[in-house]
Amino acid sequence: MNQKIRIGALISGGGTNLQAIIDACEDGRIDGEMAFVGSDQSGVKGLERANKHDIPGFVVEYGPLIQTYRRDPAKLMLPEDFDLSEILARQHLFPADSSEDRIRAFFCTRAAAERRLLSEIDARGPLDLLVLAGFMRNLTPYFIDRFNTDPRNPRIMNIHPAILPSFPGVDGYGDTFRYGCKVGGCTVHFIDYGEDSGPIVGQRTFPILETDTLDDVKRKGLEQEWLLYPECIQNFARGRVNTVKMTHRLDDGQVCRRTVVKIAQTD
Ligand code: GAR
């Protein structure tokens, strides 16, 4: 029997991807076991799903921390090891000309929430992989650097409802549909300091017909997500996933650099 990796999940809602991952762990399509499910919202269906499978759950609500900061920034407890200038030097979530107050508010409130996430995660023992399964919060460098301790081996995965790099953001299928695309898709990628911008682990596509509604697109997309995420996680579990920087010299002499997630075909 193959060794199992320990997987944690973060969610914000219904958790159908979470369910697909739990099922794949239980029926052996993923050599892994779920260590916990964390949510930024209480009372969501995904937590119920975890509970049904005896997977420990926890909630870190971002809302109250954001409210505290809005009322009085000095009242927000920032982590002792939080250094805003360090985070600003790394982040790719905001363009350089964004309002300073807005950026400060964002990274301070996120660090306060992410400190709690890290404590909850640490309390549940060693973890091999963190999967974001419909987690609707951007993680910042504060969290990413403390979780991804070896930058060459990223271990936070996300699933996004579009063929990245098209349509990042909160409404991938909606954006795909409104653009009039003939093909939609989903992407599993590692998290980096930007929004939906990290190295791509896997993608699946589906056709969009002229008669399709937005609901049809979401349904077709989710069906692909439920296949894609377990496949990508299993590749990670079997040690087949390797993130490499590649350099190509084009015919005109220009050098083209890219980060590629190589998937070994055998274990
Ligand atoms: C999924 O479509 C997932 O790709 C998307 O949220 C949905 C969650 O569904 N994620 C994002 O948009 C992340 N930016 P689920 O809770 O049923 O798995």
Side-chain angles (χ1 to χ4, degrees):
M1 202 163 85
N2 295 317
Q3 211 181 335
K4 289 188 174 185
I5 61 163
R6 278 172 56 81
I7 304 165
L10 295 179
I11 59 162
S12 296
T16 63
N17 275 288
L18 171 69
Q19 189 67 57
I21 296 165
I22 294 172
D23 293 346
C25 286
E26 288 186 353
D27 68 22
R29 279 174 295 133
I30 295 177
D31 293 315
E33 60 183 14
M34 296 299 303
F36 64 80
V37 174
S39 172
D40 66 330
Q41 312 281 336
S42 56
V44 294
K45 177 104 191 274
L47 286 171
E48 259 175 53
R49 295 178 191 273
N51 195 25
K52 252 190 208 151
H53 291 262
D54 291 325
I55 301 165
F58 65 81
V59 178
V60 172
E61 294 210 52
Y62 281 47
L65 297 168
I66 294 168
Q67 294 304 329
T68 301
Y69 187 90
R70 277 201 194 126
R71 278 197 290 272
D72 180 358
K75 289 236 162 70
L76 183 74
M77 286 271 290
L78 287 170
E80 270 174 24
D81 57 354
F82 174 69
D83 179 341
L84 182 61
S85 54
E86 214 176 73
I87 302 294
L88 294 182
R90 297 211 172 107
Q91 69 87 21
H92 293 163
L93 291 170
F94 291 89
D97 58 358
S98 308
S99 134
E100 230 177 80
D101 286 349
R102 196 169 150 237
I103 296 188
R104 179 184 299 275
F106 179 85
F107 286 108
C108 288
T109 53
R110 292 321 181 268
E114 289 175 355
R115 176 68 263 158
R116 290 173 193 212
L117 281 179
L118 287 163
S119 305
E120 293 285 357
I121 291 171
D122 286 349
R124 283 160 179 92
L127 201 67
D128 298 295
L129 178 69
L130 181 65
V131 294
L132 311 183
F135 184 62
M136 301 308 280
R137 303 279 181 180
N138 284 313
L139 292 172
T140 76
Y142 179 80
F143 181 97
I144 295 167
D145 290 348
R146 281 161 185 75
F147 187 84
N148 268 343
T149 40
D150 175 1
R152 286 163 310 168
N153 288 312
R155 53 193 194 105
I156 311 173
M157 270 186 196
N158 181 42
I159 188 148
H160 182 75
I163 311 171
L164 290 172
S166 293
F167 310 127
V170 294
D171 191 13
Y173 291 137
D175 292 339
T176 302
F177 180 73
R178 282 185 291 273
Y179 202 89
C181 294
K182 303 286 188 198
V183 175
C186 49
T187 303
V188 169
H189 64 99
F190 285 119
I191 289 290
D192 69 1
Y193 298 145
E195 182 170 25
D196 303 321
S197 58
I200 290 173
V201 184
Q203 293 181 305
R204 273 180 169 259
T205 58
F206 57 88
I208 300 176
L209 310 180
E210 285 158 22
T211 49
D212 278 344
T213 63
L214 177 52
D215 281 342
D216 292 328
V217 169
K218 285 185 179 164
R219 178 183 45 77
K220 289 183 184 183
L222 274 170
E223 281 168 10
Q224 296 304 316
E225 292 186 37
W226 302 332
L227 298 172
L228 178 66
Y229 220 173
E231 281 168 9
C232 292
I233 294 170
Q234 175 63 350
N235 281 331
F236 182 94
R238 298 307 302 265
R240 299 179 192 136
V241 172
N242 199 5
T243 305
V244 293
K245 290 199 188 310
M246 296 179 76
T247 304
H248 308 263
R249 191 167 289 279
L250 306 181
D251 289 348
D252 63 4
Q254 274 189 61
V255 172
C256 161
R257 291 190 177 81
R258 59 187 191 141
T259 300
V260 176
V261 178
K262 288 192 171 182
I263 310 290
Q265 293 311 309
T266 51
D267 296 341

